[in-house]
């Protein structure tokens, strides 16, 4: 099954691109540049919302565990997808959201479970878009540790350098 | 103790044939008899040899800097951590907690032999900590929990419960 992903080049959806990068060995995903984000599955089914695309990609490649390992983790992943869409994107002030995120990350290496999930991809992508997140260090040590750890991993650095710059 | 560690390390590395070890001296320093070479002496020396034998050179660190950091923690393990006096426990935990604040692994962003041997070495200390103390040394607790769940690492050791949410946040902020 080949999937067709079109991305908005003027505002590339980093989370979607990361998800596509992670599943590329399990499913065939072709990436085209265009004006809007959409995942074309069949003539009658298309997804245009970033979270919907991510969820679909994670579900077609269950072996990767991007949607968590059990029902509780799936719910946590959903929580973080919602969190990044509502509290990190298009918000003027990130301080309280970052405070909550910092608390959640103090005893965790990854946001959900003990491995990478959509939660990490989506929250990382939202923060990557916000080069202004305060301090990048001192006030939120756990967020910055987590953020720079992910930055250093291969798919993240690839997507970050390829598409991150087009934005700024 | 060191011999069980080496046996666990062999399993983690997926080495098929377990080696035969002996010990030497009062401190029971492990010795590996090597078929056609002089015997290898000491935990760290043997551990590095096993990593090379298993063709996992990345466990010894990436680049000159990474390798130096790994060796530094291996040395720390056998000189500072092993046989430390009881009153030094707090300062060991405090220093490690500060160091791990901005790191996932001891060598930064990459899992290495330093994480495995420090985890084996510090297990008894962390096992004894109260819930509140584990939260006081929150970065140690997080690193420890991550390593004990790293696939294949925790062989001979019992798992330690680490809470994933903080209970005493108001006190330690």
């Amino acid at each position: 099954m080949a999937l067709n992903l079109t991305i908005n080049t003027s505002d590339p959806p980093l989370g979607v691109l990361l998800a596509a990068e992670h599943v590329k060995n399990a499913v065939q995903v072709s990436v085209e540049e265009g004006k809007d984000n959409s995942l074309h599955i069949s003539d009658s089914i298309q997804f245009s919302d970033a979270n919907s695309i991510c969820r679909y990609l994670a579900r077609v490649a269950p072996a990767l565990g991007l949607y968590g390992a059990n029902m509780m983790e799936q719910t946590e992943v959903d929580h973080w997808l919602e969190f990044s869409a509502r509290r990190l994107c298009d918000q003027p002030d990130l301080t309280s959201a970052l405070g909550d995120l910092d608390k959640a990350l103090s005893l965790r290496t990854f946001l959900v479970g003990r491995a990478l999930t959509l939660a990490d991809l989506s929250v990382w992508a939202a923060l990557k878009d916000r080069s202004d997140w305060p301090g990048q260090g001192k006030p939120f040590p756990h967020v910055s540790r987590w953020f720079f750890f992910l930055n250093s991993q291969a798919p993240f650095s690839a997507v970050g350098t390829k598409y991150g710059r087009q934005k700024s | 103790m060191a011999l069980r560690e080496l046996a666990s390390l062999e399993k983690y590395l997926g080495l098929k044939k377990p080696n035969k070890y002996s010990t030497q001296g009062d401190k029971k320093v492990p010795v590996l008899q090597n078929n056609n070479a002089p015997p290898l002496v000491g935990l760290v020396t043997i551990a590095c040899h096993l990593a090379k034998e298993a063709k996992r050179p990345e466990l010894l660190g990436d680049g000159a800097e990474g390798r130096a950091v790994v060796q530094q923690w291996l040395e720390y393990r056998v000189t500072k951590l092993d046989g430390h006096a009881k009153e030094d426990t707090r300062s060991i935990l405090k220093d490690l907690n500060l160091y791990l604040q901005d790191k996932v692994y001891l060598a930064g962003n990459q899992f290495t032999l330093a994480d495995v041997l420090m985890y084996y070495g510090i297990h008894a200390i962390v096992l004894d900590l109260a819930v509140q103390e584990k939260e006081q040394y929150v970065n140690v607790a997080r690193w420890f929990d991550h390593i004990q769940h790293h696939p294949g690492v925790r062989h001979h050791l019992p798992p330690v419960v680490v809470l994933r949410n903080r209970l005493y946040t108001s006190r330690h902020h």
Side-chain angles (χ1 to χ4, degrees):
Chain A
M1 177 179 54
L3 297 171
N4 233 321
L5 175 66
T6 311
I7 58 159
N8 173 358
T9 38
S10 62
D11 185 15
L14 295 181
V16 168
L17 289 161
L18 269 176
E21 184 79 16
H22 276 92
V23 301
K24 71 177 178 191
N25 292 325
V27 226
Q28 217 186 347
V29 189
S30 63
V31 180
E32 274 167 40
E33 306 198 331
K35 283 205 167 63
D36 287 305
N37 301 325
S38 77
L39 183 69
H40 182 95
I41 293 156
S42 69
D43 285 337
S44 54
I45 304 173
Q46 292 181 27
F47 295 117
S48 58
D49 175 61
N51 277 355
S52 307
I53 299 176
C54 285
R55 285 188 167 108
Y56 184 83
L57 290 175
R59 285 188 168 124
V60 285
L64 295 173
L66 285 177
Y67 222 124
N70 52 46
M71 211 151 72
M72 192 187 79
E73 289 187 7
Q74 285 172 15
T75 313
E76 281 189 78
V77 169
D78 284 334
H79 163 79
W80 289 113
L81 289 177
E82 196 76 25
F83 176 92
S84 75
R86 281 182 191 227
R87 295 193 55 201
L88 296 175
C89 298
D90 308 318
Q91 290 290 330
D93 184 22
L94 290 185
T95 319
S96 91
L98 285 171
D100 291 347
L101 190 57
D102 200 60
K103 228 182 272 170
L105 281 167
S106 62
L107 281 155
R108 291 164 197 232
T109 300
F110 298 105
L111 277 169
V112 177
R114 295 193 164 88
L116 195 75
T117 61
L118 279 189
D120 298 292
L121 305 189
S122 140
V123 175
W124 179 88
L127 283 186
K128 182 84 181 166
D129 278 356
R130 300 287 299 249
S131 50
D132 60 324
W133 57 285
Q136 304 219 350
K138 284 279 143 43
F140 307 110
H142 301 298
V143 181
S144 47
R145 180 195 64 251
W146 166 88
F147 184 79
F148 290 110
F149 170 62
L150 293 184
N151 258 359
S152 76
Q153 308 294 305
F156 289 85
S157 55
V159 169
T161 38
K162 191 166 172 202
Y163 297 100
R165 251 180 234 137
Q166 293 182 7
K167 295 199 159 185
S168 44
Chain B
M1 188 61 209
L3 295 190
R4 286 172 74 186
E5 254 177 67
L6 287 169
S8 292
L9 183 62
E10 282 178 358
K11 281 189 207 131
Y12 165 68
L13 292 169
L15 293 170
K16 291 280 170 330
K17 267 194 322 221
N19 289 300
K20 278 245 158 41
Y21 300 99
S22 51
T23 56
Q24 132 188 339
D26 294 340
K27 290 201 168 144
K28 298 222 188 306
V29 177
V31 179
L32 172 62
Q33 290 296 340
N34 228 345
N35 284 340
N36 29 17
L40 293 170
V41 182
L43 176 68
V44 167
T45 313
I46 298 174
C48 291
H49 168 75
L50 294 178
K52 282 179 201 145
E53 203 178 18
K55 305 212 165 50
R56 298 283 302 275
E58 78 280 6
L59 287 176
L60 300 177
D62 239 4
E65 195 192 326
R67 279 195 289 275
V69 173
V70 171
Q71 286 303 321
Q72 174 191 281
W73 282 105
L74 293 176
E75 187 131 321
Y76 181 94
R77 156 71 212 269
V78 285
T79 55
K80 295 269 168 55
L81 192 59
D82 289 0
H84 68 276
K86 193 130 182 86
E87 61 266 28
D88 291 340
T89 311
R90 301 280 132 190
S91 75
I92 288 175
L93 286 170
K94 210 175 132 208
D95 292 348
L96 199 55
N97 193 52
L98 199 64
Y99 178 80
L100 285 169
Q101 164 109 313
D102 57 352
K103 292 173 193 75
V104 169
Y105 299 109
L106 286 169
N109 293 323
Q110 190 203 352
F111 178 82
T112 64
L113 194 60
D115 295 295
V116 181
L117 288 196
M118 280 295 286
Y119 159 69
Y120 289 158
I122 211 164
H123 187 276
I125 296 180
V126 179
L127 192 63
D128 268 354
L129 292 181
V131 173
Q132 190 179 3
E133 291 169 311
K134 277 181 237 171
E135 203 168 300
Q136 186 182 352
Y137 306 111
V138 67
N139 301 311
V140 176
R142 181 191 59 248
W143 164 82
F144 186 89
D145 193 47
H146 187 59
I147 304 301
Q148 74 173 349
H149 287 96
H150 194 92
V153 169
R154 186 184 62 80
H155 276 284
H156 61 290
L157 296 167
V160 175
V161 175
V162 177
L163 293 188
R164 316 202 65 199
N165 292 304
R166 306 184 65 156
L167 300 175
Y168 303 92
T169 34
S170 53
R171 259 194 74 179
H172 296 295
H173 261 288

